Amino acid sequence: MSYKRQFLQTVAALSVGLFLSACQKSTPAPEAAAPAAPAASSPAPAARVLTVGTDPTYAPFEFQNEKGDIVGFDMDVTTAAAKKAGLEVKFVSTPWEGAFNALAQGDRDVLVSAITITDERKQTMDFSEPYFEASQLIAVNESSKVTKLDDLKKSKIGVQTSTTGEEVVVKLLGKTSPNIKRFESTPLALAELAAGGVDAVVADNGVVIHYLANNPTAKFKSVSDASFAPEFYGLAFKKGNTELASQFNKGLADIKADGSYQKIYEQYFKSAAK
Ligand code: ARG
């Protein structure tokens, strides 16, 4: 489905390109019209609104409320940090697959999406200082006998494609294992667990815990594993955009120092921030 959408977007982008080039050919702009181009004539913008991409299928970090607004812990942290840095942000729904590409292409100025800072990702993008600590967590049916990751060696496991959850499962089962079921989003993987199509889902702890708390009828439980390493979320920037990264780092440091980070944390996770 995402491929179809990507394909359609590509077709749309191509047709806009063709449309523009057709216009340029058929109606050459008179000399005098040139300075009237919007970019040249509009006054210097006071503060450009930064486009922040997020995959809002990851409650409580990013999700859409009943009105369709993108809300969550990440939005509150990012908005507060941006404000301290004198920056304005708007959040744009950006499917996880393709988000890193959108950043590299300059279609998004920033990504905030419960993104784990990894050495591999650091090669293609820059990160802020960490703003949240997480780890993987296994979701299984309440009746499951699974008590550790190794118990899933012969099981079908659902993951969100290209996440650190997938990495953990790839390590366990091997990259090409047919027992790895990859989904576009974590809620889709969890729905498959409820439907019996997979025996477990591996995803970020905060999301699994939130899902369990909000979907008691699903009758899932969570299982941790000693091998699950601490992960740290960071805001992501286009490689080399160190100016924006340091502005956000300053903003993050400010909201930690003045207690506003703590307030946001408590609002979403109840206990005190570390
Ligand atoms: N922390 C994990 C990772 O970086 C999963 C993030 C998924 N985020 C999302 N909004 N879907 O791979």
Side-chain angles (χ1 to χ4, degrees):
M1 181 188 156
S2 71
Y3 291 115
K4 189 172 173 195
R5 190 163 56 221
Q6 265 172 9
F7 171 71
L8 289 175
Q9 279 170 355
T10 309
V11 171
L14 284 174
S15 23
V16 170
L18 288 173
F19 174 68
L20 288 177
S21 58
C23 289
Q24 275 158 11
K25 264 176 223 138
S26 58
T27 57
E31 286 284 295
S41 66
S42 53
R48 187 168 75 88
V49 179
L50 297 167
T51 302
V52 183
T54 188
D55 169 27
T57 64
Y58 224 59
F61 298 98
E62 42 267 338
F63 56 103
Q64 279 173 293
N65 65 15
E66 320 75 52
K67 285 188 280 170
D69 303 327
I70 297 173
V71 295
F73 174 78
D74 282 355
M75 282 65 248
D76 291 359
V77 168
T78 305
T79 305
K83 207 167 161 203
K84 293 278 186 197
L87 301 167
E88 238 186 281
V89 292
K90 70 158 192 274
F91 298 98
V92 179
S93 177
T94 307
W96 180 253
E97 269 186 281
F100 295 165
N101 226 5
L103 184 69
Q105 304 286 312
D107 293 340
R108 303 288 183 271
D109 299 302
V110 185
L111 297 179
V112 64
S113 212
I115 304 170
T116 301
I117 302 170
T118 68
D119 286 340
E120 195 190 338
R121 290 173 182 166
K122 272 194 207 161
Q123 295 176 7
T124 53
M125 66 195 86
D126 289 341
F127 284 101
S128 69
E129 294 296 325
Y131 67 87
F132 190 85
E133 184 177 339
S135 71
Q136 294 306 302
L137 194 59
I138 304 165
V140 288
N141 285 309
E142 250 168 36
S143 57
S144 167
K145 300 240 150 36
V146 168
T147 60
K148 55 185 185 307
L149 184 64
D150 222 50
D151 294 340
L152 292 169
K153 270 217 139 111
K154 299 218 150 44
S155 309
K156 291 196 183 96
I157 312 177
V159 293
Q160 182 178 9
T161 310
S162 303
T163 57
T164 45
E166 180 187 332
E167 278 175 31
V168 160
V169 175
V170 162
K171 246 187 236 152
L172 181 75
L173 302 182
K175 205 178 172 71
T176 56
S177 166
N179 279 342
I180 304 178
K181 306 294 176 193
R182 295 173 172 86
F183 296 86
E184 229 179 285
S185 75
T186 298
L188 285 176
L190 290 161
E192 194 64 9
L193 177 60
V198 294
D199 308 302
V201 168
V202 178
D204 292 11
N205 57 346
V207 172
V208 170
I209 289 164
H210 184 269
Y211 189 91
L212 264 53
N214 289 280
N215 298 275
T217 54
K219 298 207 182 313
F220 294 162
K221 66 178 176 190
S222 64
V223 175
S224 190
D225 189 87
S227 73
F228 291 158
E231 298 185 17
F232 297 93
Y233 295 166
L235 278 65
F237 308 91
K238 185 175 180 165
K239 186 116 198 112
N241 197 353
T242 46
E243 194 189 330
L244 196 56
S246 54
Q247 283 175 295
F248 270 97
N249 279 339
K250 199 190 162 294
L252 286 170
D254 284 357
I255 62 169
K256 281 187 187 159
D258 78 355
S260 40
Y261 176 91
Q262 171 104 9
K263 272 209 192 97
I264 298 168
Y265 186 99
E266 282 168 15
Q267 187 192 328
Y268 287 91
F269 304 106
K270 298 201 174 83
S271 65
K274 289 177 196 165

